[in-house]
């Protein structure tokens, strides 16, 4: 549900600084300002603009949303819409929204407010979690919006767009009861070097703080054959890295005849010729099995990084959160990874200030950081959300106290990370190069375990290449080194 490692302050983000430049085959060429289309998409691209209409889509929130937007863009391009770089140029302006915390929702309403006097003639649409959560209420708060559609109804998007094109004033897709997933003939690929594949949508857990089961609906897995076909297509057009996505990615259960579990699919995707790295996120501790660790140990193409959100280090709070595991059970799974023959980096999400969290509970989260030795955490102040069971729980923690605890937690993690990264100085890692900062003479990329590496080299045109980098220096979030031949 979250963007991995985006706390890397020194990160060279491929999306913003990577310069498309000549690179060795087989990477496909970036089209239109870095957007990249696969062969089926290029067919659509040729027809793009046939309607003379244009669209702009802005995405908030998690990787699932990023990828949903790629699919929505594909649907639109397939219908002859042309992508434009700013909302003011577009006939259709879409916001793919997030509502995981209140701040995220407020941000979207602020964005919608910008159109109050300017929307004339444009179609403004709200997609994603806030659309599902607020529904037609959005029309009340922003009457210039004419499309509201939650992610569980994206299959209906072409119909909804038809209705708008034939003069419909307000259309909605808000059903949650769909048992199908959002399949598209065309997906626009916005990421240059690593491609997303959604394998499971929705969530069947009911964590007390979380709005996702309400906004994304019940869990639906895609047939393994469809996932593998997509992986093969991506490899054919030059992708070497794939990221499997799902709210609870490891709860995957193949609805097709093979009946595969997550680990079977993981192994099969890693086996696709041309695929050198497979990542997956987000894993739920309850469905995290020893077999997954064994697969990482034995299949080099499976990245040695697991994002395993714990949420709290106190079993009492975990129970109140309905997380379905205790601190001890969670740490046992961490133990499997620490005993593995391959170094596995582990990252986590932690919520501070869940209702009733005592000083002792918080101490439990701090000591869990020591025990788990994460490579990074994403820490959040608890934010009450509509349609969740924790919303009206007693003993809310005051905001100042949440902020105080959050600062202590982050400082403890910073120390742990600094020490962990320091130990890596002198090691050599394979880095998938995804960024270049010419002014600083630095290249950037990720190790298999998702650590960010900035490095210097005497070579040119490294984007998309896998290179060996010897680490000479470390900070709390990144490694620095030189390429070795
Ligand atoms: N308040 C704060 N953090 C939350 N998360 C989910 N819901 C809430 C909430 N109501 C966090 C969890 C989850 C991450 C993506 O967002 O840690 O893993
Ligand atoms: Fe939300 Fe819990 Fe489902 Fe994750 S597992 S999406 S935190 S309800």
């Amino acid at each position: 549900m979250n963007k991995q490692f985006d706390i890397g302050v020194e990160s060279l983000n491929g999306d913003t600084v990577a310069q498309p430049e000549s690179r060795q085959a087989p990477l496909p060429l970036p089209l239109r300002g870095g957007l990249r289309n696969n062969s089926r998409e290029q067919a659509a691209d040729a027809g793009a603009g046939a309607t003379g209409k244009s669209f702009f889509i802005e995405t908030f929130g998690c990787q699932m949303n990023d990828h949903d937007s790629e699919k929505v863009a594909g649907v639109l391009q397939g219908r002859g819409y042309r992508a434009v770089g700013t909302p003011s140029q577009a006939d259709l302006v879409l916001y793919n929204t997030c509502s995981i915390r209140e701040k995220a929702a407020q941000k979207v309403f602020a964005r919608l407010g910008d159109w109050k006097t300017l929307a004339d003639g444009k179609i403004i649409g709200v997609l994603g979690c806030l659309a599902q959560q607020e529904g037609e209420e959005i029309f009340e708060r922003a009457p210039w919006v004419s499309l509201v559609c939650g992610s569980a109804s994206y299959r209906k998007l072409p119909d909804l767009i038809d209705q708008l094109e034939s003069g419909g004033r307000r259309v909605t897709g808000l059903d949650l009861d769909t048992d199908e997933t959002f399949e598209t003939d065309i997906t626009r690929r916005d990421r240059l070097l690593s491609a997303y594949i959604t394998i499971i949508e929705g969530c069947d857990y009911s964590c007390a703080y979380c709005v996702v089961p309400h906004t994304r609906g019940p869990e639906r897995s895609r047939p393994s054959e469809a996932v593998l076909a997509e992986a093969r297509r991506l490899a054919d057009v030059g992708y070497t890295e794939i990221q499997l996505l799902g709210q609870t990615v490891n709860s995957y259960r193949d609805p097709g005849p093979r009946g595969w579990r997550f680990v079977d699919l993981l192994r099969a995707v890693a086996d696709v010729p041309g695929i050198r790295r497979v990542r997956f996120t987000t894993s739920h501790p309850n469905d995290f099995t020893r077999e997954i660790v064994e697969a990482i140990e034995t299949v080099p193409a499976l990245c040695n990084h697991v994002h395993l959100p714990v949420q709290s280090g106190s079993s009492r709070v975990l129970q109140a959160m309905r997380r379905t595991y205790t601190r001890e059970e969670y740490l046992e799974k961490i133990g499997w990874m620490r005993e593995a023959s391959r170094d596995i980096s582990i990252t986590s999400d932690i919520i501070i200030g869940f209702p009733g969290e005592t000083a002792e509970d918080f101490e439990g989260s701090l000591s869990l950081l020591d025990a788990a030795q994460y490579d990074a955490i994403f820490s959040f102040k608890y934010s009450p959300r509509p349609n969740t069971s924790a919303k009206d729980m007693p003993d809310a923690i005051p905001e100042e106290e949440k902020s105080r605890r959050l600062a202590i937690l982050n400082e403890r993690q910073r120390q742990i990370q600094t020490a962990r990264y320091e130990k890596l100085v002198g090691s050599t890692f394979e880095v998938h190069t995804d960024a270049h900062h010419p002014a600083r003479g630095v290249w950037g990329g990720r190790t298999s375990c998702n650590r960010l590496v900035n490095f210097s080299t005497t070579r040119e045109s490294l984007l998309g290449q896998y290179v060996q980098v010897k680490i000479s220096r470390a900070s709390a979030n990144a490694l620095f080194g030189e390429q070795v031949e």
Side-chain angles (χ1 to χ4, degrees):
M1 292 192 353
N2 54 337
K3 296 194 202 261
Q4 306 275 299
F5 278 62
D6 54 5
I7 57 171
V9 287
E10 285 148 320
S11 78
L12 294 173
N13 183 325
D15 291 341
T16 52
V17 298
Q19 304 295 323
E21 53 182 66
S22 65
R23 63 174 74 85
Q24 290 168 16
L27 280 172
L29 292 172
L31 300 174
R32 287 205 314 267
L35 299 185
R36 195 166 79 152
N37 297 16
N38 68 25
S39 49
R40 300 174 82 185
E41 290 149 358
Q42 279 166 6
D45 201 47
T51 61
K53 294 201 173 138
S54 58
F55 75 98
F56 173 87
I57 183 162
E58 181 176 355
T59 309
F60 299 81
C62 64
Q63 289 153 318
M64 295 284 287
N65 267 12
D66 285 342
H67 187 40
D68 283 344
S69 290
E70 292 179 329
K71 295 205 246 179
V72 169
V75 168
L76 290 169
Q77 284 179 320
R79 299 173 71 82
Y81 278 78
R82 182 171 48 90
V84 289
T86 63
S88 56
Q89 296 169 289
D91 302 305
L92 171 60
V93 179
L94 296 175
Y95 294 103
N96 189 2
T97 63
C98 172
S99 66
I100 194 106
R101 283 169 291 277
E102 199 183 341
K103 259 194 198 150
Q106 283 168 351
K107 214 160 135 185
V108 177
F109 277 117
R111 197 67 103 248
L112 290 177
D114 292 345
W115 292 107
K116 190 169 182 175
T117 54
L118 299 172
D120 221 16
K122 290 188 195 299
I123 294 176
I124 312 283
V126 181
L127 308 178
C129 289
L130 192 72
Q132 190 67 50
Q133 182 189 297
E134 300 291 325
E136 300 192 358
E137 186 67 31
I138 291 180
F139 297 136
E140 303 297 316
R141 287 183 67 171
W144 49 94
V145 169
S146 43
L147 165 70
V148 173
C149 182
S151 70
S153 300
Y154 284 165
R155 281 181 315 114
K156 291 191 190 144
L157 262 181
D159 284 350
L160 298 177
I161 292 164
D162 275 349
Q163 289 173 35
L164 286 173
E165 282 176 348
S166 47
R169 174 70 191 91
R170 281 180 175 169
V171 296
T172 53
L174 295 169
D175 291 344
L176 273 182
D177 54 0
T178 172
D179 55 1
E180 291 179 44
T181 51
F182 180 37
E183 306 287 334
T184 53
D185 288 338
I186 301 158
T187 300
R188 182 178 84 182
R189 297 283 168 184
D190 292 351
R191 287 156 43 95
L192 211 55
L193 300 170
S194 174
Y196 292 134
I197 302 183
T198 300
I199 64 166
I200 177 171
E201 291 174 6
C203 177
D204 275 355
Y205 284 94
S206 48
C207 301
Y209 51 82
C210 185
V211 77
V212 167
H214 176 75
T215 57
R216 285 190 166 265
E219 181 184 294
R220 291 99 61 202
S221 291
R222 287 175 71 198
S224 57
E225 197 40 60
V227 173
L228 283 176
E230 193 171 342
R232 287 188 212 107
R233 277 201 306 274
L234 289 165
D236 283 349
V237 296
Y239 279 100
T240 58
E241 181 172 317
I242 279 177
Q243 205 168 133
L244 303 179
L245 296 181
Q247 255 25 273
T248 55
V249 75
N250 58 330
S251 313
Y252 177 84
R253 199 72 211 217
D254 187 358
R258 294 174 176 132
W260 278 355
R261 297 159 309 153
F262 173 65
V263 71
D264 305 316
L265 182 67
L266 203 53
R267 285 179 179 273
V269 173
D271 223 24
V272 169
I275 296 304
R276 287 182 64 159
R277 285 189 178 178
V278 180
R279 303 190 180 281
F280 54 96
T281 195
T282 291
S283 296
H284 193 293
N286 196 49
D287 299 316
F288 191 78
T289 59
R290 265 185 197 280
E291 287 74 30
I292 298 173
V293 181
E294 282 161 17
I296 294 173
E297 281 182 298
T298 50
V299 181
L302 290 182
C303 289
N304 47 343
H305 167 226
V306 175
H307 185 63
L308 198 66
V310 66
Q311 312 298 2
S312 169
S314 152
S315 292
R316 204 189 64 78
V317 173
L318 287 171
Q319 192 180 15
M321 287 176 163
R322 302 205 201 145
R323 281 296 284 181
T324 73
Y325 53 84
T326 62
R327 171 192 171 101
E328 290 69 31
E329 284 162 347
Y330 178 88
L331 283 175
E332 190 189 347
K333 299 188 178 202
I334 297 287
W336 300 341
M337 290 188 268
R338 293 296 175 226
E339 285 155 19
S341 54
R342 218 173 144 196
D343 168 43
I344 299 179
S345 94
I346 309 168
T347 54
S348 192
D349 295 344
I350 297 189
I351 296 176
I352 289 309
F354 188 75
E357 183 189 73
T358 62
E360 197 186 329
D361 293 323
F362 174 60
E363 209 33 67
S365 290
L366 289 177
S367 67
L368 185 122
L369 293 186
D370 295 335
Q373 290 289 305
Y374 294 121
D375 254 43
I377 59 165
F378 298 88
S379 49
F380 308 101
K381 287 192 267 184
Y382 168 70
S383 162
R385 304 307 295 132
N387 305 302
T388 61
S389 58
K391 186 171 130 314
D392 298 316
M393 276 185 184
D395 302 324
I397 310 295
E399 269 318 293
E400 318 80 75
E401 179 58 13
K402 284 190 213 167
S403 301
R404 194 186 70 83
R405 291 183 189 179
L406 189 71
I408 295 171
L409 185 94
N410 285 341
E411 176 51 25
R412 177 79 68 101
Q413 177 61 21
R414 200 188 61 78
Q415 288 169 10
I416 291 169
Q417 266 173 239
T418 306
R420 284 184 66 75
Y421 270 51
E422 196 55 46
K423 284 196 197 128
L424 301 173
V425 172
S427 309
T428 298
F429 291 102
E430 183 191 71
V431 175
H432 187 193
T433 313
D434 63 11
H436 185 204
H437 198 303
R440 285 162 53 194
V442 182
W443 294 81
R446 301 266 168 185
T447 62
S448 166
C449 50
N450 212 25
R451 293 181 183 123
L452 183 69
V453 180
N454 294 332
F455 64 96
S456 54
T457 176
T458 52
R459 284 176 49 195
E460 290 174 6
S461 301
L462 282 185
L463 279 184
Q465 304 276 307
Y466 291 82
V467 298
Q468 297 292 321
V469 176
K470 183 163 185 196
I471 306 304
S472 53
R473 186 165 69 80
S475 73
N477 296 309
L479 300 170
F480 304 84
E482 290 81 42
Q483 187 192 352
V484 287
E485 295 310 321

